[in-house]
Amino acid sequence: MPKPPRPRPQTRRKLPKADVEAIFDALGTANPSPKTELNYSNPYTLLVAVVLSAQATDVGVNRATAKLFEQVQTPQQMLDLGLDGLKSHIRTIGLFNSKAANVIRLSEQLIGLHGGQVPRTEKELVALAGVGRKTANVVLNEIFGEATLAVDTHVFRVSHRIGLSSGKTPDAVERDLLAQVPQRWAKDAHHLLILHGRYLCKARAPECWRCPIALWCRFADKASEPPAKAGRPTA
């Protein structure tokens, strides 16, 4: 007797366009001036900060670069500092050895290929040591004002919970978002989603009770109220 065919997995229906627009309008109203939380003073220091932020928190990167960026503002100054000097500043950041090597190498590339300037195309950026598409998108968005979307863990999580994407990879989620984000929010969508995920739609304890987009969100396990605080033991 032949086995019955396996049921096909159901694909989640896309959010209506009106709901997507309402979501980003609400996020934008709640956070009208979203921007990166990495500290930087020019395109080069932002590029370095983003390279260092892979698998690290912005807070940790800012702590490590506070004194570094007092001393280093250009690729040549980074080369003058040298590999060991750079490592002494960023030892508290995960993978600091490989990241330091990449920063030194990309500084050499910027001088040799781009006159010491940060290039403004994705193709040129991803050719630099330690720079992937996510890093390139952050730089293009923050420095050059392009409507790019860097999909980090926050954006990936929020997009799935809201119902904007069911993509299995960051690239798939990015494609879904670019196809849906309203044009008026194209520049800010990246930071709106990151900051929403960082401070409200957290991985382990989402604060749904104060979420501005809870009405449209498809996350099944919404928290309707904050967790009760443990009371003092009675005598």
Side-chain angles (χ1 to χ4, degrees), residues 10-60:
Q10 293 184 347
T11 56
R12 187 161 55 171
R13 182 177 58 87
K14 286 187 176 181
L15 285 171
K17 181 180 179 180
D19 286 0
V20 176
E21 292 185 349
I23 285 169
F24 281 97
D25 285 345
L27 290 174
T29 298
N31 190 357
S33 300
K35 58 183 179 180
T36 183
E37 294 186 319
L38 287 170
N39 293 334
Y40 71 96
S41 58
N42 59 33
Y44 174 70
T45 54
L46 175 66
L47 176 61
V48 171
V50 179
V51 169
L52 296 178
S53 71
Q55 301 181 48
T57 66
D58 287 1
V59 172

Side-chain angles (χ1 to χ4, degrees), residues 75-227:
Q76 187 58 57
Q77 289 174 339
M78 186 67 76
L79 297 183
D80 292 342
L81 178 65
L83 181 62
D84 290 339
L86 174 56
K87 287 182 180 180
S88 70
H89 283 282
I90 65 170
R91 289 186 184 278
T92 55
I93 299 176
L95 306 174
F96 75 91
N97 281 311
S98 59
K99 290 178 180 179
N102 282 333
V103 169
I104 293 296
R105 176 58 183 150
L106 75 81
S107 298
E108 293 171 341
Q109 291 173 306
L110 289 176
I111 293 172
L113 300 174
H114 304 289
Q117 302 300 308
V118 174
R120 60 175 306 158
T121 69
E122 179 186 312
K123 181 178 180 180
E124 291 170 313
L125 284 166
V126 298
L128 300 173
V131 178
R133 287 191 69 247
K134 185 175 77 172
T135 297
N137 280 340
V138 172
V139 173
L140 292 171
N141 181 272
E142 181 72 15
I143 297 298
F144 300 115
E146 295 192 17
T148 58
L149 266 160
V151 178
D152 67 353
T153 56
H154 296 302
V155 175
F156 192 90
R157 178 178 68 254
V158 170
S159 298
H160 279 77
R161 285 180 174 176
I162 294 174
L164 292 170
S165 177
S166 56
K168 303 298 184 184
T169 66
D171 285 350
V173 172
E174 180 184 342
R175 287 193 296 270
D176 288 342
L177 290 174
L178 289 174
Q180 296 177 81
V181 172
Q183 185 59 38
R184 62 184 177 275
W185 294 112
K187 165 65 170 62
D188 291 333
H190 164 69
H191 287 120
L192 287 173
L193 293 171
I194 285 178
L195 296 172
H196 183 67
R198 183 172 293 165
Y199 294 110
L200 282 180
C201 196
K202 303 172 186 176
R204 295 186 179 181
E207 298 180 10
C208 306
W209 63 89
R210 65 185 189 96
C211 174
I213 61 171
L215 177 65
W216 304 280
C217 176
R218 292 181 175 180
F219 183 47
D221 300 323
K222 289 187 179 71
S224 59
E225 58 184 26

